[in-house]
Amino acid sequence: MKKTIYYLVILLISISNMNAQIVTNQKTVPILDRELFFGNPEISGGQLSPDGKWISFMKAYDGIMNIWIKKFDEPFEKARPLTNSKRPMQGYFWTYDGKYILYVKDENGDENRNVFAVDPMAKPVSNSVPISRNITPLKDISAQIDLVSIKNPDLLMVSLNDKDKAWHDLYQLKISTGELTKIYENKDRVTGYIFDWDDNLRILSKTDEKGTTTFFKKEGDKLTSIYETPVTEQAYVATWTPDNKEAYFVTNKGDLDLSSLFLMDMDTQKMKKIESDPKNRVDFGSLSVSDLTRELIATSYTDDKTEYLWKNKKWENNYKFLKSKFPGREISFQSQTKDESKFLIAVSGDKYAAEVYFFNAETKALVLQYVPRPALKKVEKYLAPMKPIHYKSSDGLEITGYLTLPVGKDGKNLPTVILVHGGPKGPRDNWGYNSIAQFLANRGYAVLQPNFRASGGYGKKFLNAGDLQWGKLMQDDITWGAKYLLSNGISNNDKIAIMGGSYGGYATLAGLAFTPDLYACGVDIVGPSNIFTLLESVPAYWESGRAFLYGMVGDPNTEVGKKLIHAASPIFSADKIVKPLLIIQGANDPRVKKAEAEQIVVALRDKGKQVSYILADDEGHGFAKPVNNMAMFAETEKFLAGILGGRYQKEMPENVAKRLKEMTVDVRTVTYVPKIN
């Protein structure tokens, strides 16, 4: 009896200590500085030179992410800058011979892009930085790179809309001299130029006014139709067989729901199915090909997570070796030498700060190179796991999504943010580290990221199920996600916010207008409020996609389409928006112009509703500059905390506070007369 009492006391003490520890954990999770999530990484985007003697990477120069370089065996402190752009670099790449580094850049988010080249071995001329050359020095164009030559590394194939803003002509561009030679004049709605391994232009794609895309085999000046898909189906050429005789097509044409991989014989145009998702759940994902041998390396499929089907045993063994070293994390081959023997690999996961390692495939040597966010790495024990979830929408359609719950909480009765991705047709959210989700979870919110109908990867029926359903079934998919959280006791009924960018911004406005009792507030980032004006103002070079856009929202040139668009546009239901709204916009956005923000600001202000407005004069469709991002999220977390009761980091650096003040618009000064259709 005494032993029983003794063990009972010990058990009660243990339970008491466990509960105390849980309470302590809830109280001791620190508020992580927003700069950990949205400030510049220390180093990012590392790449090996083709010969493996150099490492290039992105790092801040005068506060803006630029390209740097160092010898492979030098410390990163010895690196020198190659560019001094005032616009953050989004990416870059080496030419195959290692003579140049190329990148594409616009001005302040206007998406008028030019191609730039810099010699990585050039000596600095001024400001300790070599001169970058604009090798497409034309104004108000959107340059596109169609081919980076392996056969002749001094050549690019680029398409430019310098003659007609709606259509791109094809040019050969010599990097060393900047010489442009026109290859094909686009007089007939060409939307794609497809080259084989030997730089031969083999296929053209054209899209007509109805959205039908036709692929043509090019033989000299002769074009022969070889494949066709309507606007509701998709196809693209992924690569070629090593001998260039067959093209790998990815398509969901006809009876196919899930896109699959096919081989087309270019002589006979006969198609042979190669592969589709073994689990019959998702679309074909991606194809990895060796530039060295031209052989397939792997295919991938993304359901809740990404899985690979390996075609090359050596690569598969390397992958399995790396996975064994980093269990529970994702491995990606970020860069490689020309002989495919040495790599930079990125190691990441939902609750882990990323790391980048050098990997020698021959010796299996694995050496840490850098951690992009070392300060975040030190506190990654406070990052939250992301859990895939599935739930039914209003019509029974299964919706997948991801749920991130704050660390140290019991997962019940939480203030919640529904975080909606953009697109809408094609993009989707994926499992892994997400800075916004982690930031919000750290502030105490449950975060749901729903892959609503029209999200990509789940088949043709799911993709097209969103057509003409803006504000209707697409919105239901988001609404029923909130209901799922409520029915499982995860969310607090009175403390649910909706937030998102681009289409996610639209969904925020639609959520507040069409389900006004569900949400406590919303944060709209570059979201359209009036689909009529959205369609009228799309960039000229989107002309080939007009039928695609009309298929999603309705044709404004028909009475039926006008009714659909009017009903789906939140601007015409502004009187139903009764909850506080924060609107964030880039002044130079070419896709969702600032008029989309300002007309809803005026409409809500004039009705006496609570609306706040942030406008960045140096941004476009989303913010690129860290100071702007930190200012935006400082205001966002303050806004959410005041309504949902989450945590709020009041302190901010002087430059962020100054920038926030500059970006904050007095809504009383906004003027806009919306066009009523």
Side-chain angles (χ1 to χ4, degrees):
M1 184 66 179
K2 287 182 180 180
K3 277 189 176 181
T4 302
I5 294 173
Y6 172 77
Y7 287 125
L8 182 60
V9 169
I10 294 298
L11 178 61
L12 290 172
I13 291 173
S14 298
I15 293 172
S16 176
N17 288 339
M18 188 185 302
N19 289 335
Q21 183 63 41
I22 292 172
V23 173
T24 300
N25 286 341
Q26 291 178 2
K27 290 181 178 179
T28 57
V29 173
I31 295 179
L32 301 180
D33 194 305
R34 67 181 70 90
E35 188 167 1
L36 297 176
F37 303 104
F38 306 117
N40 280 323
E42 220 171 81
I43 295 173
S44 68
Q47 294 185 27
L48 291 170
S49 62
D51 61 9
K53 295 179 180 179
W54 301 83
I55 291 182
S56 56
F57 56 93
M58 291 187 289
K59 177 183 175 181
Y61 182 82
D62 286 343
I64 299 296
M65 294 301 284
N66 271 276
I67 303 170
W68 294 61
I69 192 170
K70 76 175 190 72
K71 291 182 178 179
F72 175 77
D73 54 1
E74 286 181 335
F76 279 86
E77 291 75 18
K78 290 286 187 77
R80 55 186 173 86
L82 287 179
T83 61
N84 61 350
S85 171
K86 304 307 177 187
R87 182 78 180 159
M89 291 289 174
Q90 302 299 308
Y92 68 94
F93 58 93
W94 290 77
T95 56
Y96 201 65
D97 58 4
K99 288 185 177 180
Y100 298 99
I101 286 178
L102 306 178
Y103 61 94
V104 176
K105 186 172 70 72
D106 70 1
E107 289 294 329
N108 291 325
D110 63 7
E111 298 186 14
N112 290 324
R113 300 184 177 96
N114 289 101
V115 183
F116 293 79
V118 61
D119 178 353
M121 302 304 130
K123 294 181 179 180
V125 175
S126 62
N127 298 324
S128 303
V129 180
I131 293 178
S132 291
R133 290 183 295 118
N134 184 347
I135 54 176
T136 57
L138 302 167
K139 290 185 177 181
D140 300 326
I141 64 162
S142 180
Q144 299 173 358
I145 298 176
D146 298 283
L147 174 74
V148 181
S149 179
I150 295 174
K151 188 176 181 180
N152 185 348
D154 194 32
L155 292 183
L156 293 178
M157 299 296 179
V158 298
S159 44
L160 308 174
N161 58 338
D162 55 325
K163 297 293 187 292
D164 184 339
K165 298 304 177 189
W167 305 103
H168 287 69
D169 297 329
L170 180 67
Y171 292 83
Q172 176 182 283
L173 173 59
K174 194 169 184 179
I175 301 169
S176 58
T177 64
E179 180 185 357
L180 274 171
T181 305
K182 185 178 286 188
I183 301 297
Y184 192 92
E185 187 169 354
N186 191 350
K187 296 180 179 179
D188 41 7
R189 300 180 64 96
V190 175
T191 51
Y193 302 98
I194 302 160
F195 296 82
D196 66 15
W197 285 105
D198 294 329
D199 300 349
N200 298 311
L201 179 58
R202 298 284 298 281
I203 296 175
L204 299 176
S205 63
K206 302 181 182 181
T207 303
D208 66 18
E209 291 85 351
K210 295 181 180 179
T212 299
T213 296
T214 304
F215 293 84
F216 294 88
K217 180 173 69 170
K218 186 177 186 302
E219 296 173 298
D221 294 331
K222 181 183 177 183
L223 297 180
T224 305
S225 174
I226 59 174
Y227 201 72
E228 183 177 285
T229 55
V231 70
T232 54
E233 296 179 342
Q234 297 177 327
Y236 64 89
V237 178
T239 189
W240 300 79
T241 53
D243 59 9
N244 289 320
K245 291 183 178 180
E246 296 176 292
Y248 284 97
F249 269 79
V250 177
T251 182
N252 59 10
K253 185 177 179 178
D255 295 335
L256 291 173
D257 180 38
L258 301 178
S259 64
S260 304
L261 181 66
F262 288 80
L263 260 181
M264 175 187 281
D265 185 300
M266 292 300 293
D267 291 330
T268 65
Q269 284 80 65
K270 289 184 178 180
M271 298 275 281
K272 177 175 67 174
K273 185 176 179 181
I274 301 299
E275 186 179 290
S276 59
D277 178 21
K279 297 179 182 177
N280 200 37
R281 279 187 51 85
V282 296
D283 287 325
F284 181 86
S286 65
L287 188 68
S288 300
V289 186
S290 168
D291 288 338
L292 192 63
T293 67
R294 302 182 179 181
E295 300 286 351
L296 300 189
I297 294 171
T299 54
S300 73
Y301 296 87
T302 301
D303 194 348
D304 290 341
K305 296 182 181 180
T306 298
E307 295 183 3
Y308 297 92
L309 299 182
W310 293 95
K311 314 302 177 184
N312 181 288
K313 205 67 182 174
K314 183 178 179 180
W315 281 77
E316 181 179 15
N317 290 338
N318 287 334
Y319 180 77
K320 288 180 176 178
F321 169 79
L322 292 168
K323 287 287 283 187
S324 72
K325 296 295 183 181
F326 304 102
R329 305 196 197 188
E330 296 297 302
I331 304 295
S332 60
F333 293 88
Q334 183 169 298
S335 173
Q336 65 206 44
T337 52
K338 188 189 297 188
D339 64 3
E340 298 179 356
S341 67
K342 301 176 180 66
F343 301 85
L344 289 184
I345 62 152
V347 179
S348 61
D350 55 345
K351 58 180 181 177
Y352 302 102
E355 301 169 329
V356 176
Y357 289 80
F358 169 77
F359 174 58
N360 186 322
E362 295 172 347
T363 66
K364 297 298 186 287
L366 190 61
V367 182
L368 178 66
Q369 290 298 295
Y370 63 89
V371 177
R373 296 184 182 273
L376 183 64
K377 191 72 182 174
K378 292 177 181 178
V379 295
E380 72 176 8
K381 65 181 178 181
Y382 300 118
L383 298 181
M386 177 186 281
K387 176 185 175 184
I389 64 167
H390 302 255
Y391 59 88
K392 300 288 187 181
S393 188
S394 58
D395 60 351
L397 184 67
E398 183 181 80
I399 305 299
T400 68
Y402 298 94
L403 180 63
T404 305
L405 299 178
V407 173
K409 298 287 187 178
D410 60 4
K412 299 295 181 183
N413 198 36
L414 295 169
T416 299
V417 177
I418 310 296
L419 185 60
V420 187
H421 70 71
K425 199 168 185 178
R428 56 159 287 177
D429 277 320
N430 292 287
W431 182 88
Y433 175 80
N434 183 288
S435 59
I436 300 176
Q438 290 294 341
F439 168 70
L440 293 171
N442 179 257
R443 276 23 179 187
Y445 305 112
V447 183
L448 174 65
Q449 297 170 262
N451 280 324
F452 48 85
R453 71 191 69 200
S455 298
Y458 298 101
K460 180 169 60 180
K461 292 178 183 176
F462 190 89
L463 188 73
N464 295 328
D467 287 351
L468 307 181
Q469 294 299 322
W470 285 43
K472 297 177 181 178
L473 288 173
M474 286 175 71
Q475 199 68 29
D476 279 0
D477 298 345
I478 300 165
T479 301
W480 259 252
K483 290 184 177 183
Y484 168 87
L485 299 183
L486 288 168
S487 66
N488 284 276
I490 295 168
S491 296
N492 183 316
N493 187 61
D494 299 319
K495 293 185 177 183
I496 301 179
I498 183 169
M499 170 178 170
S502 194
Y503 177 83
Y506 163 83
T508 295
L509 299 176
L512 295 184
F514 305 144
T515 52
D517 296 329
L518 179 60
Y519 299 109
C521 61
V523 180
D524 157 29
I525 305 170
V526 297
S529 62
N530 182 341
I531 301 173
F532 287 111
T533 52
L534 174 72
L535 293 174
E536 290 168 0
S537 62
V538 296
Y541 51 86
W542 285 25
E543 182 58 36
S544 64
R546 189 168 292 277
F548 177 81
L549 293 173
Y550 289 177
M552 285 196 294
V553 299
D555 185 344
N557 301 302
T558 67
E559 289 305 313
V560 171
K562 287 179 181 178
K563 289 180 181 179
L564 284 167
I565 292 171
H566 190 279
S569 297
I571 188 67
F572 303 115
S573 296
D575 58 321
K576 298 176 184 176
I577 297 178
V578 295
K579 302 297 174 57
L581 175 63
L582 172 61
I583 295 177
I584 299 164
Q585 180 68 38
N588 306 311
D589 191 339
R591 307 185 192 190
V592 179
K593 294 187 179 295
K594 72 174 183 177
E596 295 300 316
E598 295 189 343
Q599 57 187 298
I600 194 72
V601 166
V602 169
L604 294 175
R605 178 201 64 195
D606 290 351
K607 295 177 186 298
K609 305 298 176 61
Q610 183 180 335
V611 59
S612 302
Y613 184 27
I614 299 293
L615 178 68
D617 60 2
D618 55 351
E619 296 286 7
H621 197 61
F623 289 5
K625 294 183 176 179
V627 67
N628 292 339
N629 267 317
M630 287 192 288
M632 172 180 76
F633 283 109
E635 185 64 17
T636 297
E637 66 172 311
K638 179 182 177 182
F639 174 80
L640 293 174
I643 299 164
L644 304 184
R647 305 194 300 175
Y648 167 46
Q649 179 191 354
K650 296 180 181 179
E651 303 81 13
M652 66 180 80
E654 184 177 337
N655 67 323
V656 175
K658 179 177 181 289
R659 189 67 186 122
L660 179 57
K661 186 176 181 180
E662 293 169 347
M663 289 163 48
T664 302
V665 178
D666 182 347
V667 297
R668 294 173 297 179
T669 67
V670 181
T671 57
Y672 183 83
V673 180
K675 180 179 178 181
I676 306 297
N677 289 274

